[in-house]
Amino acid sequence: RRPRELSAEERAYLEARRKANARIGLLFHVIPYAATCAFLLLVAGYRAFLAVAIFWGIGVACHWFIVQAPELRRRWVEDEVNKKLTSSVSQQRRVLQTEHNRSVEELTASIAHEIRNPITAAKSLVQQMGEDPRAGENIEYAKVALEELDRVEKSVSHLLRFAREEDVRMSEMTLVDVIEAALDTFQDRIQALGVEIHKELDSQGAMRGDPEKMRRVIINLFGNALDALEQSGTPQPRVEIQAGENLAGTEVWVRIRDNGPGMEPGKVEKIFKPFYTSKASGTGLGLAITKKLVDAHGGTIEAASEPGHGAEFVLTFPKAGPDSASPAEAGA
């Protein structure tokens, strides 16, 4: 039978009691020792006093050391552990601070690059318009300048969304419903591009999550797949969507795969970083926001791709619980 764990007050009381017993035991040796030595010095003389004082003193010292040895050992161990922990924590803090500073520098540089370039382009176009206000090209210049400023506005909007703390409202939901709702938003585009959609939904995917946030995740990933197929002009474009749960019944998963141009291995490692994009008009925050939403649900997202073999994204989430039995099964 496992013993009951002591409370903090009980542990403090036992520690104080142990120290008190050690001190009382030491006094029981010191007081008789001092009295005997004084008596021998007065009655038996200096030699008898010295002999008893030395040998008895050694005994008292040994007893004190034996009694105090566990306490001394504990203090030495604690001091050594504290030194190593302090050194380790300080080193980890320095590493984390360095990584944080590097991340901030990279993010700052990305933001500056993403906003400065379109502003510079728009400024140049406006300057050209000012040099010859009556030029026929000014209409085209103004159109391009507005597009560049729209790009800045879009980047800032996505950046604010990425920086904002997501308000995730958990409820019982199923991945199948989320996937169907996300695909409904792309029906016109799917038909226009002639993309074949292949679905394998082996499970309802019952889980606890925010349906709207999960719909955004699927929309981002499916939209990226359509963008890749459209930009590459892939013949017989195809997107596969699969959903199911693991054998233990503890997790649900979604796999989205396209047969587009794929990505280089070096690019796959960077796609979840803010402002990294391979699109001409992308902000580079879509997948960063997607990963943030997945993390908020306690899930994981993994990407795999090879040039010429499309891209694949796999999402895994904790399952809400075992599927409830149907009425027919319950009555069986």
Side-chain angles (χ1 to χ4, degrees):
R1 184 178 178 181
R2 186 177 180 180
R4 180 178 66 87
E5 185 176 354
L6 298 178
S7 64
E9 292 79 5
E10 290 173 330
R11 289 195 298 270
Y13 169 76
L14 292 177
E15 180 66 15
R17 183 176 178 179
R18 186 189 64 78
K19 291 182 179 179
N21 290 337
R23 292 170 182 171
I24 291 173
L26 184 61
L27 289 176
F28 280 156
H29 285 78
V30 171
I31 293 175
Y33 167 74
T36 302
C37 289
F39 175 78
L40 290 175
L41 182 62
L42 294 174
V43 176
Y46 179 75
R47 290 185 178 180
F49 158 75
L50 188 61
V52 172
I54 292 175
F55 288 105
W56 199 347
I58 293 174
V60 172
C62 291
H63 174 78
W64 180 87
F65 180 77
I66 292 173
V67 171
Q68 293 296 323
E71 179 67 16
L72 292 174
R73 185 185 300 111
R74 184 181 65 83
R75 290 182 180 178
W76 291 339
V77 170
E78 287 182 354
D79 291 343
E80 189 66 23
V81 170
N82 288 335
K83 289 179 182 178
K84 291 186 177 181
L85 285 177
T86 302
S87 176
S88 177
V89 169
S90 299
Q91 184 177 1
Q92 290 179 1
R93 285 179 177 175
R94 288 194 296 269
V95 172
L96 291 175
Q97 186 64 36
T98 302
E99 293 178 352
H100 174 72
N101 292 339
R102 187 183 301 112
S103 299
V104 171
E105 291 174 358
E106 292 177 355
L107 182 59
T108 303
S110 299
I111 294 173
H113 175 78
E114 188 68 22
I115 295 178
R116 181 182 58 190
N117 286 355
I119 289 179
T120 301
K123 180 180 178 181
S124 175
L125 291 169
V126 172
Q127 288 176 343
Q128 294 182 35
M129 293 168 60
E131 293 175 357
D132 187 2
R134 298 181 180 180
E137 297 86 355
N138 285 351
I139 296 178
E140 186 64 25
Y141 289 163
K143 181 180 178 181
V144 175
L146 287 175
E147 290 176 352
E148 293 296 330
L149 293 177
D150 286 341
R151 179 181 169 187
V152 173
E153 183 181 10
K154 185 178 179 181
S155 297
V156 172
S157 176
H158 279 73
L159 178 61
L160 292 175
R161 181 183 297 177
F162 174 74
R164 184 174 61 242
E165 191 69 26
E166 293 290 347
D167 182 18
V168 179
R169 300 180 180 180
M170 297 294 184
S171 63
E172 299 297 329
M173 52 161 284
T174 61
L175 282 176
V176 171
D177 293 338
V178 170
I179 292 172
E180 296 293 351
L183 292 182
D184 286 343
T185 63
F186 291 102
Q187 287 303 321
D188 293 341
R189 190 178 179 192
I190 291 173
Q191 294 178 3
L193 296 176
V195 178
E196 178 186 356
I197 305 299
H198 181 71
K199 293 186 293 185
E200 292 184 12
L201 308 179
D202 297 333
S203 169
Q204 289 294 314
M207 62 172 288
R208 187 167 179 79
D210 188 324
E212 178 56 29
K213 299 297 190 298
M214 291 297 298
R215 190 177 74 91
R216 280 173 51 189
V217 169
I218 302 300
I219 285 177
N220 285 343
L221 296 178
F222 192 80
N224 284 346
L226 294 182
D227 291 341
L229 294 172
E230 182 178 9
Q231 293 177 8
S232 64
T234 302
Q236 298 179 346
R238 175 186 176 93
V239 178
E240 299 177 3
I241 301 181
Q242 300 172 319
E245 62 181 64
N246 63 349
L247 295 177
T250 57
E251 295 178 339
V252 294
W253 54 267
V254 179
R255 179 182 290 109
I256 299 178
R257 180 179 179 84
D258 63 72
N259 64 340
M263 295 178 287
E264 298 289 340
K267 293 183 178 181
V268 177
E269 301 173 357
K270 302 176 182 178
I271 57 176
F272 295 112
K273 292 185 177 181
F275 292 107
Y276 179 82
T277 181
S278 58
K279 300 178 184 179
S281 59
T283 62
L285 288 171
L287 286 177
I289 294 174
T290 297
K291 187 178 187 307
K292 186 177 180 181
L293 292 175
V294 172
D295 291 341
H297 284 78
T300 61
I301 179 170
E302 298 178 354
S305 180
E306 293 182 7
H309 295 280
E312 177 181 275
F313 290 86
V314 179
L315 308 170
T316 306
F317 300 97
K319 193 175 183 299
D323 293 333
S324 58
S326 63
E329 291 173 343

